[in-house]
């Protein structure tokens, strides 16, 4: 799919930047390490969103190499509060195959990239 709308390019860029920041440990190397310890292949996962809720508390959504959508809560100070949940079955319109999907949604865009429906992160959208 060629991305021609500015809104879609902006969403693609946001997923790209978030993914690079996490993969490179620029956001917080401890978060990148936490994700790896949870079994996430950081080098192939696409990060739709990440929010820093507190100094060492993060929440976000990622798409793994199998196309699963995982939501996470990473409390880097209190690991007993951590969560990593597969929410793929509950996606509804966020799923790129849903008839009402919206490429302006970062989760949908990450799924589109993972499924080859949008340019890979190494490429730039047209």
């Amino acid at each position: 799919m060629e991305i021609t709308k500015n809104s879609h390019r902006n969403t693609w860029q946001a997923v790209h930047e978030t993914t690079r920041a996490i993969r490179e440990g620029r956001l917080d190397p401890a978060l990148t390490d936490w994700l790896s310890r949870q079994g996430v292949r950081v080098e192939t996962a696409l990060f739709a969103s990440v929010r820093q809720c507190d100094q060492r508390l993060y929440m976000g959504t990622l798409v793994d190499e199998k196309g699963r959508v995982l939501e996470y809560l990473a409390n880097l100070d209190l690991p007993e509060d951590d969560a990593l949940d597969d929410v793929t079955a509950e996606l509804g319109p966020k799923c790129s195959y849903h008839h009402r999907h919206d490429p302006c949604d970062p989760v949908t865009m990450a799924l589109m990239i993972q499924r080859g429906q949008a340019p890979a992160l190494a490429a730039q959208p047209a």
Side-chain angles (χ1 to χ4, degrees):
M1 169 186 174
E2 191 172 320
I3 297 179
T4 56
K5 288 185 172 183
N6 283 339
S7 58
H8 298 174
R9 271 197 300 273
N10 291 342
T11 304
W12 181 95
Q13 188 66 38
V15 171
H16 177 74
E17 289 301 319
T18 302
T19 298
R20 282 186 50 208
I22 291 178
R23 286 181 183 174
E24 296 170 2
R26 286 186 285 120
L27 181 64
D28 186 334
L31 174 62
T32 302
D33 184 56
W34 180 89
L35 289 161
S36 294
R37 287 193 322 271
Q38 304 310 307
V40 173
R41 293 186 59 211
V42 174
E43 67 278 2
T44 57
L46 297 164
F47 295 88
S49 67
V50 64
R51 301 286 184 267
Q52 187 171 7
C53 304
D54 205 345
Q55 189 170 1
R56 293 183 35 92
L57 178 67
Y58 296 89
M59 62 186 306
T61 307
L62 66 93
V63 176
D64 72 6
E65 74 279 355
K66 297 175 186 170
R68 294 180 308 164
V69 178
L70 307 172
E71 290 183 346
Y72 60 90
L73 175 66
N75 188 333
L76 303 177
D77 291 326
L78 297 170
E80 61 273 9
D81 290 342
D82 292 344
L84 183 67
D85 300 311
D86 186 340
V87 297
T88 310
E90 293 90 37
L91 287 178
K94 290 186 181 293
C95 179
S96 64
Y97 294 131
H98 192 279
H99 69 282
R100 290 185 13 224
H101 77 275
D102 181 5
C104 291
D105 179 86
V107 173
T108 304
M109 182 57 71
L111 282 165
M112 291 174 68
I113 295 167
Q114 193 273 338
R115 294 175 175 168
Q117 298 170 304
L121 294 186
Q124 291 293 318

